[in-house]
Amino acid sequence: ILSFALTLGVFYSWLLLLSLLKGPKPIHDFVRLQLGRIDRWPRGAKLALPAAVTAVCWWAITWALAGLKVLPHPFSEMARLEEAGIIALQGYLTWKYPIAALLTLHLLNKYIYFGTQPIWNYTDATGQKLLQPLKRVPLRIGMADFAPVVGIAFVFFIAELAGRGLALVYKRLSG
């Protein structure tokens, strides 16, 4: 049950990312259909929602896991809340996979003609949004554009650094 809930939570977190990117129709209509009213929330609320839900769920589940002796009892309630915050921030690290997938599809679409399917318009538009911070960096050599490759590497590098940093903080809290 918990692994299914985790998978469902990651799926909806990815949908929130796609909602934040707000790509063209009809693909964004699928995201809107899945998220319902949440898709109309302000960007800040949609950005904070995965962390808030994850923190509350982790805080609640630690009571049961500590009671079953799967996890050690935290030193204090504040330690339990700090752990929940760290776990909630780690939830954002799963966004590296859909970002990398979108950038990979964007790269493929630049050099291979796949037709006029809506998915290719969507990946092109969202890929351009994701690569916006790299616009000023000269990553084009002739006809070759290395921005998607650098973007994928950058996303995984930042996610790895963030994951290691959060793991160190968590280890200090629990140890």
Side-chain angles (χ1 to χ4, degrees):
I1 292 173
L2 291 178
S3 64
F4 174 74
L6 177 64
T7 303
L8 189 64
V10 168
F11 174 72
Y12 275 99
S13 173
W14 290 0
L15 284 175
L16 279 169
L17 171 66
L18 296 178
S19 175
L20 287 166
L21 292 172
K22 213 168 199 94
K25 292 183 176 191
I27 305 297
H28 187 72
D29 290 341
F30 171 76
V31 173
R32 181 177 296 134
L33 180 68
Q34 299 302 313
L35 292 176
R37 285 186 237 155
I38 295 173
D39 187 59
R40 293 188 293 268
W41 287 9
R43 292 178 67 82
K46 287 192 283 190
L47 188 60
L49 186 62
V53 170
T54 303
V56 169
C57 289
W58 178 257
W59 178 81
I61 199 73
T62 57
W63 289 96
L65 294 177
L68 294 171
K69 301 203 185 314
V70 174
L71 289 177
H73 285 281
F75 303 115
S76 67
E77 187 59 33
M78 189 62 182
R80 188 184 304 263
L81 291 172
E82 290 169 345
E83 286 178 1
I86 291 169
I87 298 295
L89 290 175
Q90 285 182 331
Y92 288 113
L93 299 180
T94 66
W95 284 5
K96 66 184 173 187
Y97 300 113
I99 291 172
L102 284 169
L103 290 177
T104 301
L105 292 173
H106 175 67
L107 177 67
L108 289 173
N109 191 38
K110 279 181 154 278
Y111 298 106
I112 302 171
Y113 180 71
F114 292 108
T116 58
Q117 304 300 321
I119 188 71
W120 301 117
N121 295 334
Y122 184 83
T123 57
D124 189 48
T126 55
Q128 288 176 7
K129 282 182 188 178
L130 289 168
L131 294 173
Q132 195 68 30
L134 296 175
K135 282 285 187 201
R136 294 187 179 145
V137 181
L139 296 171
R140 185 180 274 282
I141 299 173
M143 294 294 290
D145 185 12
F146 294 101
V149 176
V150 171
I152 292 168
F154 184 71
V155 165
F156 276 95
F157 178 73
I158 294 298
E160 182 67 24
L161 284 180
R164 288 180 186 214
L166 288 171
L168 285 173
V169 172
Y170 186 82
K171 187 175 180 180
R172 287 185 190 153
L173 275 175
S174 60

